[in-house]
Amino acid sequence: MTPTNRSIHDVDDDLLAACLCIGALADHVSEHGTGNAQVLANIERATDGFRRIMIERRAVVVP
């Protein structure tokens, strides 16, 4: 069992989902700008989630 009790595949699935979310938010910003405070808050939350998943992935990959 991994240190996080999740398989690398589960972690990678979450990582892909986070990337897709960040990409969708980037597309939104490119079309509409950064004037919407909610979009900026969503970007911040998505990048925080991405960072947590990357930390978890390192814990899974490194023995």
PDB file of all heavy atoms in Angstrom, residues 36-55:
ATOM      1  N   ASN A  36     -13.605  39.116 -13.354  1.00  0.00           N
ATOM      2  CA  ASN A  36     -14.540  38.388 -12.507  1.00  0.00           C
ATOM      3  C   ASN A  36     -13.798  37.820 -11.295  1.00  0.00           C
ATOM      4  O   ASN A  36     -12.943  36.940 -11.427  1.00  0.00           O
ATOM      5  CB  ASN A  36     -15.192  37.260 -13.310  1.00  0.00           C
ATOM      6  CG  ASN A  36     -16.277  36.545 -12.561  1.00  0.00           C
ATOM      7  OD1 ASN A  36     -16.273  36.477 -11.341  1.00  0.00           O
ATOM      8  ND2 ASN A  36     -17.207  35.976 -13.296  1.00  0.00           N
ATOM      9  N   ALA A  37     -14.135  38.302 -10.113  1.00  0.00           N
ATOM     10  CA  ALA A  37     -13.454  37.862  -8.886  1.00  0.00           C
ATOM     11  C   ALA A  37     -13.661  36.373  -8.629  1.00  0.00           C
ATOM     12  O   ALA A  37     -12.775  35.700  -8.114  1.00  0.00           O
ATOM     13  CB  ALA A  37     -13.933  38.675  -7.693  1.00  0.00           C
ATOM     14  N   GLN A  38     -14.821  35.849  -9.008  1.00  0.00           N
ATOM     15  CA  GLN A  38     -15.094  34.424  -8.780  1.00  0.00           C
ATOM     16  C   GLN A  38     -14.171  33.549  -9.621  1.00  0.00           C
ATOM     17  O   GLN A  38     -13.690  32.519  -9.153  1.00  0.00           O
ATOM     18  CB  GLN A  38     -16.554  34.088  -9.087  1.00  0.00           C
ATOM     19  CG  GLN A  38     -16.922  32.651  -8.750  1.00  0.00           C
ATOM     20  CD  GLN A  38     -16.726  32.328  -7.278  1.00  0.00           C
ATOM     21  OE1 GLN A  38     -17.190  33.060  -6.418  1.00  0.00           O
ATOM     22  NE2 GLN A  38     -16.036  31.246  -6.987  1.00  0.00           N
ATOM     23  N   VAL A  39     -13.901  33.960 -10.844  1.00  0.00           N
ATOM     24  CA  VAL A  39     -12.988  33.195 -11.693  1.00  0.00           C
ATOM     25  C   VAL A  39     -11.600  33.174 -11.077  1.00  0.00           C
ATOM     26  O   VAL A  39     -10.941  32.132 -11.031  1.00  0.00           O
ATOM     27  CB  VAL A  39     -12.943  33.766 -13.130  1.00  0.00           C
ATOM     28  CG1 VAL A  39     -11.847  33.110 -13.952  1.00  0.00           C
ATOM     29  CG2 VAL A  39     -14.290  33.580 -13.809  1.00  0.00           C
ATOM     30  N   LEU A  40     -11.164  34.305 -10.565  1.00  0.00           N
ATOM     31  CA  LEU A  40      -9.847  34.360  -9.931  1.00  0.00           C
ATOM     32  C   LEU A  40      -9.802  33.478  -8.684  1.00  0.00           C
ATOM     33  O   LEU A  40      -8.808  32.791  -8.437  1.00  0.00           O
ATOM     34  CB  LEU A  40      -9.476  35.801  -9.594  1.00  0.00           C
ATOM     35  CG  LEU A  40      -9.287  36.719 -10.797  1.00  0.00           C
ATOM     36  CD1 LEU A  40      -9.004  38.138 -10.330  1.00  0.00           C
ATOM     37  CD2 LEU A  40      -8.194  36.213 -11.705  1.00  0.00           C
ATOM     38  N   ALA A  41     -10.869  33.469  -7.917  1.00  0.00           N
ATOM     39  CA  ALA A  41     -10.932  32.603  -6.734  1.00  0.00           C
ATOM     40  C   ALA A  41     -10.906  31.136  -7.152  1.00  0.00           C
ATOM     41  O   ALA A  41     -10.256  30.310  -6.498  1.00  0.00           O
ATOM     42  CB  ALA A  41     -12.188  32.907  -5.926  1.00  0.00           C
ATOM     43  N   ASN A  42     -11.587  30.814  -8.243  1.00  0.00           N
ATOM     44  CA  ASN A  42     -11.578  29.439  -8.735  1.00  0.00           C
ATOM     45  C   ASN A  42     -10.194  29.023  -9.214  1.00  0.00           C
ATOM     46  O   ASN A  42      -9.771  27.880  -8.993  1.00  0.00           O
ATOM     47  CB  ASN A  42     -12.599  29.272  -9.869  1.00  0.00           C
ATOM     48  CG  ASN A  42     -14.015  29.331  -9.376  1.00  0.00           C
ATOM     49  OD1 ASN A  42     -14.300  29.224  -8.188  1.00  0.00           O
ATOM     50  ND2 ASN A  42     -14.939  29.526 -10.299  1.00  0.00           N
ATOM     51  N   ILE A  43      -9.487  29.927  -9.851  1.00  0.00           N
ATOM     52  CA  ILE A  43      -8.114  29.634 -10.273  1.00  0.00           C
ATOM     53  C   ILE A  43      -7.244  29.363  -9.054  1.00  0.00           C
ATOM     54  O   ILE A  43      -6.453  28.417  -9.029  1.00  0.00           O
ATOM     55  CB  ILE A  43      -7.531  30.778 -11.125  1.00  0.00           C
ATOM     56  CG1 ILE A  43      -8.244  30.839 -12.470  1.00  0.00           C
ATOM     57  CG2 ILE A  43      -6.028  30.617 -11.312  1.00  0.00           C
ATOM     58  CD1 ILE A  43      -7.905  32.065 -13.292  1.00  0.00           C
ATOM     59  N   GLU A  44      -7.392  30.171  -8.035  1.00  0.00           N
ATOM     60  CA  GLU A  44      -6.606  29.978  -6.813  1.00  0.00           C
ATOM     61  C   GLU A  44      -6.908  28.626  -6.176  1.00  0.00           C
ATOM     62  O   GLU A  44      -5.996  27.893  -5.791  1.00  0.00           O
ATOM     63  CB  GLU A  44      -6.889  31.109  -5.836  1.00  0.00           C
ATOM     64  CG  GLU A  44      -6.001  31.070  -4.612  1.00  0.00           C
ATOM     65  CD  GLU A  44      -6.209  32.282  -3.722  1.00  0.00           C
ATOM     66  OE1 GLU A  44      -7.218  32.989  -3.860  1.00  0.00           O
ATOM     67  OE2 GLU A  44      -5.341  32.498  -2.861  1.00  0.00           O
ATOM     68  N   ARG A  45      -8.173  28.273  -6.087  1.00  0.00           N
ATOM     69  CA  ARG A  45      -8.548  26.973  -5.500  1.00  0.00           C
ATOM     70  C   ARG A  45      -8.043  25.815  -6.347  1.00  0.00           C
ATOM     71  O   ARG A  45      -7.553  24.814  -5.825  1.00  0.00           O
ATOM     72  CB  ARG A  45     -10.062  26.882  -5.335  1.00  0.00           C
ATOM     73  CG  ARG A  45     -10.576  27.688  -4.185  1.00  0.00           C
ATOM     74  CD  ARG A  45     -11.996  27.338  -3.799  1.00  0.00           C
ATOM     75  NE  ARG A  45     -12.792  26.811  -4.894  1.00  0.00           N
ATOM     76  CZ  ARG A  45     -13.985  27.234  -5.243  1.00  0.00           C
ATOM     77  NH1 ARG A  45     -14.555  28.211  -4.583  1.00  0.00           N
ATOM     78  NH2 ARG A  45     -14.631  26.699  -6.246  1.00  0.00           N
ATOM     79  N   ALA A  46      -8.152  25.950  -7.668  1.00  0.00           N
ATOM     80  CA  ALA A  46      -7.699  24.875  -8.558  1.00  0.00           C
ATOM     81  C   ALA A  46      -6.193  24.677  -8.462  1.00  0.00           C
ATOM     82  O   ALA A  46      -5.714  23.540  -8.441  1.00  0.00           O
ATOM     83  CB  ALA A  46      -8.111  25.174 -10.000  1.00  0.00           C
ATOM     84  N   THR A  47      -5.453  25.771  -8.390  1.00  0.00           N
ATOM     85  CA  THR A  47      -3.996  25.627  -8.298  1.00  0.00           C
ATOM     86  C   THR A  47      -3.580  25.100  -6.929  1.00  0.00           C
ATOM     87  O   THR A  47      -2.610  24.338  -6.828  1.00  0.00           O
ATOM     88  CB  THR A  47      -3.270  26.947  -8.618  1.00  0.00           C
ATOM     89  OG1 THR A  47      -3.747  27.979  -7.762  1.00  0.00           O
ATOM     90  CG2 THR A  47      -3.477  27.337 -10.073  1.00  0.00           C
ATOM     91  N   ASP A  48      -4.297  25.451  -5.879  1.00  0.00           N
ATOM     92  CA  ASP A  48      -4.020  24.872  -4.554  1.00  0.00           C
ATOM     93  C   ASP A  48      -4.271  23.366  -4.578  1.00  0.00           C
ATOM     94  O   ASP A  48      -3.488  22.585  -4.043  1.00  0.00           O
ATOM     95  CB  ASP A  48      -4.881  25.520  -3.472  1.00  0.00           C
ATOM     96  CG  ASP A  48      -4.429  26.920  -3.112  1.00  0.00           C
ATOM     97  OD1 ASP A  48      -3.294  27.305  -3.489  1.00  0.00           O
ATOM     98  OD2 ASP A  48      -5.216  27.634  -2.461  1.00  0.00           O
ATOM     99  N   GLY A  49      -5.381  22.957  -5.210  1.00  0.00           N
ATOM    100  CA  GLY A  49      -5.679  21.533  -5.333  1.00  0.00           C
ATOM    101  C   GLY A  49      -4.622  20.814  -6.147  1.00  0.00           C
ATOM    102  O   GLY A  49      -4.188  19.712  -5.799  1.00  0.00           O
ATOM    103  N   PHE A  50      -4.186  21.427  -7.242  1.00  0.00           N
ATOM    104  CA  PHE A  50      -3.135  20.854  -8.077  1.00  0.00           C
ATOM    105  C   PHE A  50      -1.868  20.647  -7.253  1.00  0.00           C
ATOM    106  O   PHE A  50      -1.239  19.586  -7.311  1.00  0.00           O
ATOM    107  CB  PHE A  50      -2.856  21.773  -9.263  1.00  0.00           C
ATOM    108  CG  PHE A  50      -1.779  21.274 -10.181  1.00  0.00           C
ATOM    109  CD1 PHE A  50      -2.066  20.348 -11.170  1.00  0.00           C
ATOM    110  CD2 PHE A  50      -0.478  21.731 -10.063  1.00  0.00           C
ATOM    111  CE1 PHE A  50      -1.078  19.886 -12.017  1.00  0.00           C
ATOM    112  CE2 PHE A  50       0.513  21.274 -10.902  1.00  0.00           C
ATOM    113  CZ  PHE A  50       0.212  20.348 -11.885  1.00  0.00           C
ATOM    114  N   ARG A  51      -1.514  21.626  -6.455  1.00  0.00           N
ATOM    115  CA  ARG A  51      -0.311  21.532  -5.618  1.00  0.00           C
ATOM    116  C   ARG A  51      -0.428  20.373  -4.624  1.00  0.00           C
ATOM    117  O   ARG A  51       0.512  19.606  -4.429  1.00  0.00           O
ATOM    118  CB  ARG A  51      -0.093  22.857  -4.877  1.00  0.00           C
ATOM    119  CG  ARG A  51       1.228  22.930  -4.139  1.00  0.00           C
ATOM    120  CD  ARG A  51       1.465  24.290  -3.495  1.00  0.00           C
ATOM    121  NE  ARG A  51       1.336  25.384  -4.443  1.00  0.00           N
ATOM    122  CZ  ARG A  51       0.347  26.301  -4.422  1.00  0.00           C
ATOM    123  NH1 ARG A  51      -0.572  26.254  -3.490  1.00  0.00           N
ATOM    124  NH2 ARG A  51       0.295  27.259  -5.319  1.00  0.00           N
ATOM    125  N   ARG A  52      -1.595  20.223  -4.003  1.00  0.00           N
ATOM    126  CA  ARG A  52      -1.793  19.116  -3.053  1.00  0.00           C
ATOM    127  C   ARG A  52      -1.702  17.760  -3.741  1.00  0.00           C
ATOM    128  O   ARG A  52      -1.116  16.820  -3.201  1.00  0.00           O
ATOM    129  CB  ARG A  52      -3.139  19.258  -2.347  1.00  0.00           C
ATOM    130  CG  ARG A  52      -3.169  20.349  -1.299  1.00  0.00           C
ATOM    131  CD  ARG A  52      -4.420  20.287  -0.437  1.00  0.00           C
ATOM    132  NE  ARG A  52      -5.648  20.397  -1.204  1.00  0.00           N
ATOM    133  CZ  ARG A  52      -6.244  21.536  -1.545  1.00  0.00           C
ATOM    134  NH1 ARG A  52      -5.708  22.674  -1.170  1.00  0.00           N
ATOM    135  NH2 ARG A  52      -7.360  21.537  -2.231  1.00  0.00           N
ATOM    136  N   ILE A  53      -2.262  17.672  -4.944  1.00  0.00           N
ATOM    137  CA  ILE A  53      -2.195  16.407  -5.680  1.00  0.00           C
ATOM    138  C   ILE A  53      -0.749  16.100  -6.069  1.00  0.00           C
ATOM    139  O   ILE A  53      -0.325  14.936  -6.013  1.00  0.00           O
ATOM    140  CB  ILE A  53      -3.108  16.452  -6.921  1.00  0.00           C
ATOM    141  CG1 ILE A  53      -4.572  16.562  -6.489  1.00  0.00           C
ATOM    142  CG2 ILE A  53      -2.914  15.202  -7.779  1.00  0.00           C
ATOM    143  CD1 ILE A  53      -5.517  16.945  -7.613  1.00  0.00           C
ATOM    144  N   MET A  54       0.010  17.102  -6.449  1.00  0.00           N
ATOM    145  CA  MET A  54       1.424  16.870  -6.799  1.00  0.00           C
ATOM    146  C   MET A  54       2.209  16.377  -5.586  1.00  0.00           C
ATOM    147  O   MET A  54       3.058  15.488  -5.712  1.00  0.00           O
ATOM    148  CB  MET A  54       2.063  18.144  -7.361  1.00  0.00           C
ATOM    149  CG  MET A  54       1.617  18.473  -8.768  1.00  0.00           C
ATOM    150  SD  MET A  54       1.942  17.160  -9.968  1.00  0.00           S
ATOM    151  CE  MET A  54       3.713  17.023  -9.880  1.00  0.00           C
ATOM    152  N   ILE A  55       1.927  16.923  -4.420  1.00  0.00           N
ATOM    153  CA  ILE A  55       2.592  16.457  -3.194  1.00  0.00           C
ATOM    154  C   ILE A  55       2.219  15.002  -2.932  1.00  0.00           C
ATOM    155  O   ILE A  55       3.080  14.177  -2.605  1.00  0.00           O
ATOM    156  CB  ILE A  55       2.224  17.360  -1.998  1.00  0.00           C
ATOM    157  CG1 ILE A  55       2.861  18.738  -2.174  1.00  0.00           C
ATOM    158  CG2 ILE A  55       2.632  16.721  -0.682  1.00  0.00           C
ATOM    159  CD1 ILE A  55       2.338  19.798  -1.229  1.00  0.00           C
TER     160      ILE A  55
END
